[in-house]
Amino acid sequence: MKLKTKKLLTKIATGIFFLFGSVEYAVILPTMWLYISNDPFDAEPYFLGLCLAAFSFTGLLTAPLFGLWYDKTNTTKMMILFCNLWEIGGNFMYFLGISKYFILASRLVAGVGTGCTSAIFAHIAKTTTEEERTAAITVAMAAREIGLLLGPGLNVFLDGMDFQLGPWHVNKYNSAGISQ
């Protein structure tokens, strides 16, 4: 594969990673309080803060670990796949919603996936020239902002969810987890 093609595909993959990462956050953020405050969870208001902070907390803790991983391997491909698995797992846990503490754990698990963000930026810095760097970082950040803009709008589609998926009841609150 030509270097130019590889760089283009890397920019696209990076943009998609940031887009979906911010869509996930923006879809869950506006609906979480309704999800955890209603029956059967009846969570206290402080619990919303814990759940929201849990996502960023594990991202903060894992970012240096992913940075070390990147320093050792100089590649982000496997790291991004690994991070995506954590995010998928956390979102599936959120969908299951066994208890309010399970939802808190789901946000901790999903947050691990955001830890590789700093390694992705390190990869951009290492693999681009000074002339290319600003454009590459701009694409990543633009994708993140587009996801934050579009994410809450996706709740319009999730609002009408009310059906059975095997043994699980999908509703407007937990559908945010399965839609990710």
Side-chain angles (χ1 to χ4, degrees), residues 2-178:
K2 292 181 180 178
L3 181 61
K4 192 171 184 170
T5 304
K6 189 173 182 179
K7 282 187 175 189
L8 176 65
L9 291 174
T10 300
K11 283 181 188 176
I12 291 169
T14 300
I16 290 170
F17 177 84
F18 281 105
L19 176 74
F20 286 144
S22 60
V23 163
E24 177 216 357
Y25 192 76
V27 166
I28 288 179
L29 185 67
T31 60
M32 185 181 287
W33 174 241
L34 295 173
Y35 187 26
I36 65 173
S37 67
N38 287 312
D39 190 44
F41 307 123
D42 297 321
E44 297 293 324
Y46 76 88
F47 202 77
L48 173 64
L50 288 176
C51 289
L52 294 175
F55 184 78
S56 298
F57 179 68
T58 52
L60 175 70
L61 291 180
T62 58
L65 300 174
F66 288 119
L68 289 172
W69 182 354
Y70 180 73
D71 287 342
K72 297 272 186 214
T73 63
N74 279 327
T75 182
T76 56
K77 185 187 252 183
M78 291 306 294
M79 184 186 317
I80 290 173
L81 291 173
F82 183 72
C83 288
N84 284 339
L85 288 175
W86 281 92
E87 289 192 51
I88 290 167
N91 286 325
F92 188 70
M93 290 171 63
Y94 185 86
F95 162 70
L96 293 177
I98 295 169
S99 72
K100 66 181 182 181
Y101 299 105
F102 195 74
I103 292 172
L104 175 62
S106 78
R107 300 313 295 152
L108 287 166
V109 169
V112 170
T114 64
C116 71
T117 301
S118 58
I120 292 171
F121 282 121
H123 181 70
I124 290 171
K126 274 188 173 180
T127 59
T128 57
T129 64
E130 280 189 46
E131 293 81 26
E132 299 169 321
R133 194 165 301 138
T134 301
I137 291 173
T138 300
V139 166
M141 294 310 297
R144 175 179 271 168
E145 297 307 317
I146 289 169
L148 288 172
L149 284 170
L150 297 178
L154 294 177
N155 284 319
V156 170
F157 301 107
L158 301 178
D159 190 46
M161 298 286 182
D162 189 19
F163 62 90
Q164 285 295 124
L165 182 64
W168 299 291
H169 179 239
V170 180
N171 58 39
K172 62 184 176 183
Y173 303 125
N174 67 2
S175 60
I178 199 71

